[in-house]
Each structure stands twice: as structure tokens, then as C-alpha cells.
Amino acid sequence: MASTTNFLIFFLFIITFIFFLFLLCYFVRQKCLCKCEICQCYMTSSWYPQFTNLCDWYTHLLQKSPTRTIHIHVLGNTITANPKNVEYMLKTRFDNFPKGKNFSTILGDFLGRGIFNVDGDLWLFQRKMASLELRRNSIRSFAFEVMNTEIQNRLIPLLACVANNKDEILDLQDVFRRFSFDSICRFSFGLDPKCLELSLPISQFAISFDLASQLSAKRAMHVSSIVWKMKRFFNIGSERKLRKSIKLINILAQEVIRQRRKLGFSNHKDLLSRFMQGDIVNETYLRDIVISFLLAGRDTVASASTSLFWLLAENPRVAQRIREEANGVLGLNQQLTSCEQLRDLHYLQACVYESMRLYPPIQFDSKFCLEDDFLPDGTFVKKGTRVTYHPYAMGRMEELWGVDCLEFKPQRWINKDGVFSQENPYKYPVFQAGVRVCLGKEMALVELKSMALSFLQRFNVELAPPSHHIPRFSPGLTASFRGGLPVFVREIKSTT
């Protein structure tokens, strides 16, 4: 009897597998019927010998397009680097370009119903809650206190230790991830994971978080969602790895929530405590909020920091000018004592913005069209089409930034009075724009600038071999350097 049951189960498994395989072949064949040059290039990866990264190939295609808009038919994706199109999607017809169910499905296992993966009332509720808290002066002061403590008590001692050993190579990308992870956990949850201690302890959570981000992003690169859905159904390959990673992430997120309940939250300043004081009691919903905080506070800041220091290592004169500005504003070799002092450091602000113009933490962002529409450049967008705006490519458009658009020039952000000057957010959608503009923008800038200034006041960085003329990126929801950012750290002899 048992053997008959096992045989039937096995037989049903084989039939189901063949059925899904048939569906897969059918849909992939339908998708792959497109014979246009771009789609064939994508399907065969023939772009790879000429371009270091997929985003560089997209940039090349967008630069050649008269409308700065292209179509990847096999992905059902319209990609644009046209600021008018970006404004149309993010402001004028915001309601017609939501994240969409397709996007939510792709990232649902990882991000759940967090703010980055929902539309409508769920998104509006989380945004209002976060906006209310992030606007409080007490929260901003608390954030600066957390960041400054992490810088002075952990980051600087670690760098000093490495600098004493002239031959030691340090992966700055790993350091920045640890720094931002400690900071966001203390600020958002009131808990200290201590990832940036001198021993640089291995964090299985961080490894799982990075893997989940990479594998979730790769789902969107398949020509048909049936590919990854079938792998998920049978729990094989990358989907098996993703499931294991998310399981570990869920365990830590649940522990964060449990610890916060145990310690109490009525008198705590962290964001999670403030959310838990409201009407949110659902554990899964709280888990999704925790993951969203981590994605926003760890990955994006670490990505921006890595790109900035790669550029500063390539342009030491810029780093020196940051030091000179700080000496003029704060006093010779004086440290930051409040986030208000950052407002007068215009060149530092310009460096951060210029770095993210060339290397935005989120290289592209996608929406899905609800109803048939026309973009301002005349492009017809069919209902259900994925529409992507591409900040990475936009930072490399001559008509937007001039013939020197590929050069790292912070002074392009400084006006004739020597003051930092903002650009149109639809020309520079690094923080999104319109209704979905990043709520944590100012907090992220304070963290990045505070860390960068404290670092540069005491240390220089030199790229360790092998270094590349163009960064090589790993797939993921945020940009990350493949192989990290290996550097030598050199202490600057102070002058009085």
C-alpha cells in the first residue's frame, strides 16, 4: 500500500513537472520570437564583451535613441532616460504607474508588504507613519547621536588599526555595510548588532540579506516569470537558496520584534517602537516594516558610500578640498558636533550628489502601466507594460549634464556664490521624485556626510590592486561592487 502511494506521488510529481516544462517552453518561445537587434543582444548576452555592466549597455542604447527611450520586448520593458517621461510617471500620471502586482510578486517573498513593495492604502499608511516620525527634531538629533557614536567608537578605531599595518587591505564596501547596519539597527530598532567591532565578526544575517537581494533582483531578469515560479514550486536552484536566506532573515526580524516587546517601547526613541505604539500588532506586517528599514538604511547608504570613496581614491584633490572646506567652516582639525554644521559644507554636499549622479545606489526603478498611455516623448505604453526610468543612464546624458558628463566634477553643483544648488528632481531622480520621493533622504545624507568627513579628516585611501577603471557591479536591488572595494588606509599626520 505504501509503495503504491509513493508511486502515485512520484507519478503526479513527474506529470506536474512536465506540465510546467511545457508551459515554460511555450511562454519563453513566445517571448523569444522578437528578432530585433536589442532583444537578440539581450538573449545571447552578446553585449558583454563590449560593456562592463548591463547598465552600461542600457546607457549606450539610451544615448543612441532620439527619444532617450528604448524597448526590451522579451522583458516587456520600456526603459527611459528622458526627464519629461520621468516627471510624467512620478507626478503627472502617478496613479497610472504604480509599483504594480508584477513587481510586488517578484519581491513579495523578500519584502512582503513593506513600503517599497506596495501601492494604495498600505503604502499611504506606512508613508504617513514614517513621514510623521522622521520630521521630528528629536528623531533627527537621536539619529545624529547614533551615527556619531558609531563613527567615533567603532569606525575610526578600526581604520586606525588597519592604518598601522601598511600592508593590510581593507574592504571598504564591507566596512560601510557594517557601519550602516549597526547604525540603522540602533536608530530603527534600538538594538546593537555590533557588526563593526574590531574583530569584524561574520554576520550570517548580512550574508543572507545580500543573497536575498541579489536573487530577488534576478527574478526580474527572466524573460518569463514562469521560470522562477517553477523553480520556487519545486524548491530548486536559486529559489531554494532564496527560501533558505529569507527563512534566516525572518528569524532575525522576529527576534528584533520580540526583543523590542521584551524591553518595552513606550519610552524609546527608535522608529520600530513608535510604530509598535500604534495599532500595528500583526507580526508579519511588523516583519515587513523591519526588512524595509534595513533595505533603506543599510544597502543604499553603504552603496553610496562605496561609490563616493572609489571616486575620492581616484580623485585625491577632491578629498583634499573637502578637508580644506571643513577646516574653514569647523576650525582646524575640529570634529562635527551637530548635524546643523553640515549645512555650511557646500562642497561636501556637492561631492555626495556628484558621486550619486554617476553611481546612484538604485540604478533603475520600475513601475507598471495600469491603462494604455502615451509618454511625453510620444512612446505608446500598453496596459501591463513595465516602464523603467534609469538614473544611472540619466547621469551620463550630455544634453542633461554637458560634454563632461562622464567626469567627476563636484563644482557643477556649486553656484557663482559658492553655494550648493539643487537640480530638477526629474533630471536627477536618485531619491525618486514626486509623490514617492524618498522620506529618508535627509537622514541618509547626514549619515553619509558625517561618516565621509570624519573618515577624510584622519585618513587617506589608496585603491589596492587589482583596481578597475570602471566599477563592476553585482546584480541586486541596490548597486554593489563585485569583489568589494579593497583599499589601503593611510593615516594623515595632523598639523596644528
Side-chain angles (χ1 to χ4, degrees):
M1 183 68 181
S3 60
T4 303
T5 303
N6 290 337
F7 174 77
L8 287 172
I9 293 173
F10 178 74
F11 180 74
L12 287 172
F13 176 84
I14 294 298
I15 294 297
T16 305
F17 180 80
I18 292 173
F19 175 71
F20 273 108
L21 191 62
F22 172 78
L23 281 178
L24 172 64
C25 293
Y26 174 78
F27 282 107
V28 169
R29 184 173 179 274
Q30 293 301 310
K31 287 269 190 175
C32 296
L33 286 176
C34 180
K35 299 298 181 182
C36 77
E37 183 181 352
I38 291 177
C39 289
Q40 288 300 303
C41 196
Y42 180 85
M43 292 297 297
T44 60
S45 297
S46 57
W47 56 268
Y48 185 72
Q50 187 178 353
F51 299 96
T52 306
N53 304 289
L54 182 62
C55 58
D56 292 310
W57 178 54
Y58 283 159
T59 298
H60 170 72
L61 296 175
L62 289 162
Q63 287 170 337
K64 291 200 308 179
S65 168
T67 60
R68 302 297 181 254
T69 301
I70 60 171
H71 308 279
I72 313 293
H73 304 107
V74 293
L75 297 178
N77 193 4
T78 295
I79 306 175
T80 188
N82 187 323
K84 291 182 180 178
N85 291 345
V86 176
E87 183 173 6
Y88 189 77
M89 292 166 57
L90 299 184
K91 179 184 176 184
T92 310
R93 291 298 311 277
F94 170 76
D95 291 336
N96 199 38
F97 293 93
K99 284 288 184 182
K101 291 182 179 179
N102 291 347
F103 187 91
S104 297
T105 302
I106 289 171
L107 298 181
D109 292 328
F110 180 34
L111 299 182
R113 296 181 297 160
I115 191 171
F116 300 117
N117 203 39
V118 291
D119 295 301
D121 292 340
L122 273 177
W123 167 76
L124 191 60
F125 170 74
Q126 292 183 57
R127 185 174 179 85
K128 282 183 176 179
M129 286 282 288
S131 177
L132 181 65
E133 297 303 333
L134 291 173
R135 283 204 304 262
R136 297 177 188 268
N137 290 330
S138 58
I139 277 285
R140 294 177 181 177
S141 298
F142 175 61
F144 181 78
E145 177 188 328
V146 166
M147 297 167 197
N148 199 45
T149 301
E150 189 73 13
I151 291 168
Q152 301 304 328
N153 294 350
R154 287 184 180 154
L155 179 63
I156 298 301
L158 171 66
L159 296 173
C161 183
V162 173
N164 286 333
N165 185 349
K166 293 184 178 181
D167 297 325
E168 185 172 352
I169 295 176
L170 183 67
D171 180 4
L172 272 190
Q173 180 168 259
D174 177 58
V175 169
F176 293 147
R177 284 176 174 171
R178 292 169 181 272
F179 168 76
S180 55
F181 184 59
D182 278 1
S183 297
I184 196 63
C185 283
R186 293 175 63 193
F187 168 65
S188 295
F189 316 133
L191 301 173
D192 185 2
K194 302 179 181 179
C195 285
L196 197 57
E197 291 193 328
L198 285 177
S199 61
L200 293 180
I202 295 174
S203 169
Q204 289 302 321
F205 172 81
I207 293 171
S208 297
F209 200 88
D210 291 337
L211 185 59
S213 173
Q214 291 173 14
L215 296 178
S216 295
K218 283 184 176 180
R219 282 179 170 181
M221 299 175 70
H222 290 299
V223 295
S224 172
S225 63
I226 290 180
V227 177
W228 66 263
K229 285 180 179 179
M230 194 168 89
K231 289 164 70 176
R232 183 177 67 176
F233 180 82
F234 290 108
N235 194 28
I236 59 175
S238 58
E239 289 297 314
R240 182 181 180 87
K241 294 178 182 177
L242 178 59
R243 182 172 294 182
K244 288 177 65 177
S245 297
I246 290 174
K247 183 179 180 180
L248 193 148
I249 291 168
N250 289 343
I251 291 172
L252 181 126
Q254 289 159 6
E255 180 62 18
V256 165
I257 295 166
R258 191 187 69 81
Q259 287 289 335
R260 179 45 56 222
R261 290 196 192 282
K262 180 181 177 181
L263 296 172
F265 43 77
S266 59
N267 295 318
H268 288 269
K269 302 176 183 177
D270 62 275
L271 279 179
L272 182 61
S273 293
R274 294 175 183 264
F275 269 85
M276 293 174 74
Q277 287 177 52
D279 298 328
I280 303 177
V281 294
N282 183 285
E283 293 288 319
T284 303
Y285 195 18
L286 284 172
R287 173 265 182 207
D288 297 342
I289 291 172
V290 167
I291 299 304
S292 296
F293 283 160
L294 289 174
L295 182 66
R298 172 186 180 262
D299 288 23
T300 54
V301 173
S303 175
S305 301
T306 302
S307 301
L308 174 63
F309 273 82
W310 181 80
L311 285 165
L312 292 175
E314 291 278 313
N315 299 271
R317 290 183 180 178
V318 174
Q320 182 56 32
R321 187 167 172 184
I322 290 174
R323 298 185 188 101
E324 291 169 356
E325 180 187 55
N327 286 337
V329 172
L330 305 178
L332 186 62
N333 299 326
Q334 295 300 304
Q335 302 295 315
L336 281 171
T337 56
S338 71
C339 56
E340 284 74 21
Q341 293 174 306
L342 290 169
R343 295 172 185 169
D344 296 323
L345 297 172
H346 297 284
Y347 189 74
L348 174 61
Q349 175 97 336
C351 290
V352 170
Y353 268 68
E354 178 71 351
S355 171
M356 290 191 288
R357 178 184 70 83
L358 290 169
Y359 299 105
I362 309 294
Q363 295 180 342
F364 60 89
D365 190 34
S366 297
K367 314 295 181 186
F368 281 86
C369 185
L370 278 182
E371 301 294 339
D372 290 357
D373 209 336
F374 283 91
L375 298 179
D377 67 3
T379 299
F380 172 68
V381 183
K382 189 177 180 180
K383 174 183 176 180
T385 300
R386 178 182 173 190
V387 187
T388 300
Y389 66 92
H390 210 291
Y392 181 92
M394 294 178 76
R396 289 160 171 74
M397 295 293 162
E398 284 192 11
E399 67 266 28
L400 298 181
W401 302 100
V403 293
D404 59 355
C405 61
L406 299 181
E407 298 178 38
F408 179 57
K409 285 189 171 182
Q411 57 267 32
R412 77 173 78 241
W413 296 87
I414 304 294
N415 65 23
K416 61 182 181 180
D417 298 318
V419 176
F420 173 81
S421 180
Q422 294 269 14
E423 282 285 358
N424 183 328
Y426 303 104
K427 170 184 173 181
Y428 181 82
V430 170
F431 297 100
Q432 294 215 42
V435 183
R436 273 192 183 261
V437 68
C438 176
L439 289 174
K441 171 184 173 181
E442 295 305 323
M443 207 77 71
L445 288 171
V446 166
E447 180 177 350
L448 179 51
K449 291 189 291 183
S450 299
M451 181 278 297
L453 182 58
S454 298
F455 189 126
L456 292 172
Q457 283 180 311
R458 285 194 56 180
F459 305 97
N460 270 318
V461 289
E462 300 171 9
L463 297 178
S467 59
H468 302 285
H469 178 63
I470 298 175
R472 302 183 179 196
F473 298 107
S474 297
L477 300 179
T478 55
S480 61
F481 282 31
R482 193 186 313 163
L485 181 60
V487 301
F488 297 107
V489 180
R490 309 296 188 211
E491 191 157 10
I492 300 171
K493 293 181 180 180
S494 61
T495 57
T496 57

